[in-house]
Amino acid sequence: MHGDSRDGSVPGHRGKTPSRRGFLTVAGAAAVGTAGFGWAAFAGTDTPPRTFRSQEDIDRRTRDVAQVLDGADPTAVAAWITGTGTAPDGLGTEMDTQVNALADAAATGTGTGRDVVVVSRVRTAATQRTIWDRKYGFLRTGSGGAGTFGIITDEIRAKYSTQLGADPQWDPDKDSHRDVWFSLTSEERQIEILRTSTAPGVSRHHLGSDADFFDTTPQDWTDAGPEAANYRWLRTNTAQYGFLQTYTAESATDKPAISEERWHWSYAPVSEAVLDYVRAHQDVVADALDNLWSYDPARYTYIKANWRDYMFHVNETAYFG
């Protein structure tokens, strides 16, 4: 999911992941291998990137990944999904390969330096908690804050129009914004944060399948904004590498939902398999989330009741033109 590109970005790189033995049960490993979708299908750091010609190609690979997840220990899978564990070795390699291939193509296709194409990728639950806490606490710059964030919702702007004016984002350094923020209920604060950022455990950036490209300032990605040409390139070219835009204008109409993010793209064979897995294993994921949020449950009341909507109200179809 989304967050803040200034925190914990790890472009094009993942740390050492656990061994096959540490992630799969013996029975699961045997079952996956027998099905022909075992670790050999994901292995090899020198494997060329996969290419996809249609949504059917993506769906086929998604089913392969699902075979791996279904044969694994649910607790270990839930730990990876919620940001406290790591992906299977080969699966991490596949995501690295595809993200790097797309980033290389984007650098060439847009004339952008490769080192600044991917601005954020893998974030642990601990990093996401830091982002969540500084926003929830409305920390000033220099006191743990990082400047403006998010998008002020229409409901709050209408209620506090005098204090907020036309400011597009929340600004913890503005006294008028602070007056409003600290008058909000805990649930209202959570809703404001969740328009453009998410709680630890629910972020798609825990997986390694999702990456933010070029810039994450919402107003820069309008049709007339400085990132408009980059968005056109991404929309035209990402599907062939297996990527889709996670948060679209259409998905943003769901209630509740994340605002459109034209910079956030997801390697669909993994992220779609994960969504299907969560739908089938909601209890084990909910237990992992409860554990993450136990240090201060009061700041997670709304997301605890609505995490499924924020996770599932996303675009799930790649654009092939």
Side-chain angles (χ1 to χ4, degrees):
M1 206 170 279
H2 47 301
D4 190 325
S5 64
R6 291 168 292 194
D7 294 276
S9 61
V10 188
H13 176 77
R14 284 179 63 82
K16 184 178 180 182
T17 49
S19 67
R20 167 181 174 179
R21 183 180 300 275
F23 195 89
L24 284 179
T25 63
V26 174
V32 172
T34 301
F37 303 125
W39 294 90
F42 292 123
T45 56
D46 296 326
T47 302
R50 296 177 180 275
T51 56
F52 301 83
R53 296 182 179 181
S54 65
Q55 184 64 45
E56 289 76 15
D57 285 351
I58 291 176
D59 293 342
R60 189 176 303 112
R61 190 61 186 160
T62 300
R63 290 191 291 271
D64 295 351
V65 176
Q67 291 275 351
V68 174
L69 300 185
D70 288 343
D73 173 12
T75 302
V77 177
W80 165 49
I81 291 171
T82 58
T84 61
T86 49
D89 287 334
L91 191 53
T93 297
E94 179 167 350
M95 291 186 288
D96 287 346
T97 298
Q98 297 302 128
V99 171
N100 282 320
L102 176 56
D104 289 343
T108 300
T110 64
T112 304
R114 175 61 178 82
D115 60 330
V116 296
V117 171
V118 177
V119 297
S120 185
R121 187 184 166 196
V122 183
R123 290 197 291 271
T124 65
T127 297
Q128 198 70 28
R129 171 180 163 176
T130 299
I131 297 170
W132 179 268
D133 285 348
R134 71 165 168 77
K135 292 180 178 181
Y136 186 91
F138 220 58
L139 301 182
R140 293 182 186 273
T141 303
S143 298
T148 58
F149 70 86
I151 297 173
I152 300 171
T153 63
D154 292 340
E155 293 80 3
I156 294 299
R157 187 185 303 280
K159 189 176 179 180
Y160 299 96
S161 58
T162 300
Q163 296 95 321
L164 299 175
D167 294 339
Q169 294 181 284
W170 287 103
D171 188 348
D173 293 324
K174 280 192 173 182
D175 289 340
S176 59
H177 284 219
R178 296 181 67 81
D179 289 343
V180 172
W181 188 263
F182 291 112
S183 72
L184 302 180
T185 66
S186 175
E187 290 204 352
E188 286 174 330
R189 293 188 200 183
Q190 292 170 59
I191 291 169
E192 292 302 301
I193 296 170
L194 286 163
R195 288 304 294 174
T196 57
S197 190
T198 196
V202 188
S203 175
R204 294 169 66 104
H205 283 289
H206 297 332
L207 301 174
S209 59
D210 291 43
D212 295 333
F213 288 83
F214 298 113
D215 176 65
T216 60
T217 304
Q219 52 265 40
D220 288 350
W221 290 84
T222 63
D223 290 341
E227 298 293 343
N230 286 338
Y231 179 61
R232 288 193 295 271
W233 189 95
L234 289 166
R235 182 165 169 79
T236 300
N237 294 281
T238 54
Q240 65 181 298
Y241 297 95
F243 285 76
L244 55 77
Q245 182 182 343
T246 305
Y247 308 110
T248 63
E250 292 76 17
S251 71
T253 62
D254 289 330
K255 300 293 181 181
I258 310 302
S259 298
E260 181 180 17
E261 293 188 352
R262 294 184 169 187
W263 57 85
H264 185 135
W265 296 80
S266 177
Y267 181 55
V270 172
S271 61
E272 289 300 296
V274 166
L275 284 182
D276 289 340
Y277 188 90
V278 174
R279 291 182 179 108
H281 299 82
Q282 293 186 38
D283 288 346
V284 69
V285 174
D287 287 345
L289 293 174
D290 282 346
N291 185 59
L292 281 175
W293 300 337
S294 62
Y295 73 98
D296 190 356
R299 64 182 59 194
Y300 295 103
T301 51
Y302 178 81
I303 187 61
K304 180 175 180 178
N306 294 278
W307 67 265
R308 295 166 181 83
D309 291 333
Y310 282 100
M311 188 172 286
F312 300 147
H313 287 174
V314 295
N315 171 50
E316 300 191 55
T317 305
Y319 177 76
F320 281 93

